[in-house]
Amino acid sequence: MDLFSCLSPFVFCSFASGSSGNCYYVGRQDEGILVDVGISAKQVMMMLKQNDLRLENIKGILITHDHIDHVLGLETLTKSCPIPIYAHSDCLGGLAEGKATKGIDHSLFRDIEPMQPFQLMGIKVEAFPVMHDGRGAMGYHFDYEGHTLTIATDIGMLDNVVKTYLRRADSIVIESNYDTEMLEKGPYPFILKQRIAGPFGHLSNLESARFVAECYHPRIKNIMLCHLSENNNTPEHAMQCLYEQFRKKQVIVQPNTSVFPLPRHKCSGFVYL
Ligand SMILES: [Zn+2]
Ligand SMILES: [Zn+2]
């Protein structure tokens, strides 16, 4: 068996992750789905090209919520290629009114119900609600021939629904937004600090790490930390916090598990799920 036939046919790739823009690719190596388009259409095109992918081979775009760091390039991208946009109806309502998205052709909108699985290119997709102050905020769970992935970004707190979907996957993308001390001591106004740390804001390194360490099992292939804050976090802080929790819970991370933060502006390269 050669190396390539051992690799999973189901891949994930991060084009951008963080408060300055989020965009992920999920699918096979030749065609797939985008999750969020929070970077410019030009940047998306660059990232696709870098990975030998073509816009024509993007069969759907899933949106987590209507905040600008998740939808910035959506209008321009879908003007150059009419790709169906899947989101909660509240989020679609937000897109129809949003400054950067109100020009999107509404015939591309596909309203999806949380916890109602549907098929997209042979991939079973299931959305689930998350606590966040964007409209119709949802995470996504994917299952392709038994290879599973859950993406949970922009979450104020980990409730049982999110935990269930994260536990179900062998690869996870989980928010690790801020270091508590950096946020507290940082320059943000008090009201913004409160919003970020509140139940409809973002997940701290510690909240994320505690859960990951608690639910770790040797079958987990990839633990990817996403949406790291530029001002209130560093990849080192996020990773250090996670490994501290692993130590505390006496978790021994197996050699088959990759643990890494997703880069802010750079492409992660293909991650085999
Ligand atoms: Zn958000
Ligand atoms: Zn965001």
Side-chain angles (χ1 to χ4, degrees), residues 57-107:
N57 295 341
I58 301 297
K59 303 298 181 193
I61 301 172
L62 304 174
I63 302 295
T64 58
H65 62 296
D66 64 341
H67 283 161
I68 195 69
D69 57 321
H70 298 261
V71 298
L72 178 79
L74 190 57
E75 186 177 313
T76 313
L77 195 74
T78 51
K79 278 208 166 113
S80 53
C81 187
I83 306 165
I85 299 164
Y86 297 82
H88 189 281
S89 56
D90 291 348
C91 175
L92 294 174
L95 295 180
E97 290 167 13
K99 213 171 138 198
T101 48
K102 60 175 185 277
I104 297 174
D105 176 359
H106 292 192
S107 71

Side-chain angles (χ1 to χ4, degrees), residues 5-259:
S5 54
C6 304
L7 296 174
S8 164
F10 193 36
V11 297
F12 167 86
C13 185
S14 170
F15 292 169
S17 182
S19 34
S20 37
N22 299 274
C23 184
Y24 304 130
Y25 173 85
V26 178
R28 294 185 286 269
Q29 282 198 51
D30 55 345
E31 56 175 9
I33 303 163
L34 291 181
V35 178
D36 290 335
V37 183
I39 50 177
S40 72
K42 201 173 147 193
Q43 282 173 299
V44 175
M45 294 307 292
M46 237 168 58
M47 289 292 180
L48 289 171
K49 200 172 165 205
Q50 209 176 308
N51 291 287
D52 284 326
L53 292 161
R54 291 153 53 94
L55 188 59
E56 296 74 36
N57 295 341
I58 301 297
K59 303 298 181 193
I61 301 172
L62 304 174
I63 302 295
T64 58
H65 62 296
D66 64 341
H67 283 161
I68 195 69
D69 57 321
H70 298 261
V71 298
L72 178 79
L74 190 57
E75 186 177 313
T76 313
L77 195 74
T78 51
K79 278 208 166 113
S80 53
C81 187
I83 306 165
I85 299 164
Y86 297 82
H88 189 281
S89 56
D90 291 348
C91 175
L92 294 174
L95 295 180
E97 290 167 13
K99 213 171 138 198
T101 48
K102 60 175 185 277
I104 297 174
D105 176 359
H106 292 192
S107 71
L108 298 173
F109 286 173
R110 306 283 185 275
D111 171 1
I112 50 173
E113 289 282 322
M115 301 197 248
Q116 300 287 327
F118 64 99
Q119 294 281 333
L120 202 54
M121 295 173 28
I123 302 168
K124 189 172 137 198
V125 182
E126 200 171 331
F128 55 89
V130 300
M131 287 177 69
H132 187 59
D133 52 12
R135 286 169 71 172
M138 298 201 294
Y140 290 98
H141 176 76
F142 304 89
D143 185 332
Y144 181 67
E145 297 175 353
H147 303 272
T148 49
L149 166 73
T150 293
I151 298 179
T153 185
D154 297 64
I155 326 164
M157 59 176 283
L158 286 165
D159 59 18
N160 285 334
V161 175
V162 184
K163 285 183 176 178
T164 304
Y165 281 93
L166 282 165
R167 281 182 202 277
R168 224 187 250 183
D170 292 337
S171 292
I172 59 172
V173 172
I174 184 170
E175 176 170 42
S176 193
N177 184 258
Y178 65 93
D179 171 81
T180 313
E181 208 184 314
M182 282 178 82
L183 178 68
E184 268 169 23
K185 294 189 175 152
Y188 283 9
F190 179 67
I191 189 97
L192 182 56
K193 288 181 182 179
Q194 260 190 328
R195 186 226 143 212
I196 292 170
F200 292 96
H202 293 277
L203 218 55
S204 71
N205 289 344
L206 188 59
E207 290 167 299
S208 182
R210 270 191 185 140
F211 173 71
V212 172
E214 182 191 305
C215 77
Y216 181 81
H217 56 81
R219 276 192 339 274
I220 295 192
K221 284 191 197 164
N222 301 287
I223 299 167
M224 298 171 264
L225 305 180
C226 76
H227 211 294
L228 270 64
S229 163
E230 185 156 33
N231 300 307
N232 306 310
N233 209 356
T234 66
E236 293 73 29
H237 276 86
M239 289 294 281
Q240 207 180 351
C241 182
L242 180 55
Y243 274 89
E244 236 168 71
Q245 289 303 311
F246 280 149
R247 253 193 318 275
K248 270 195 179 156
K249 300 214 161 66
Q250 296 175 322
V251 169
I252 297 162
V253 179
Q254 298 301 303
N256 61 307
T257 306
S258 306
V259 188

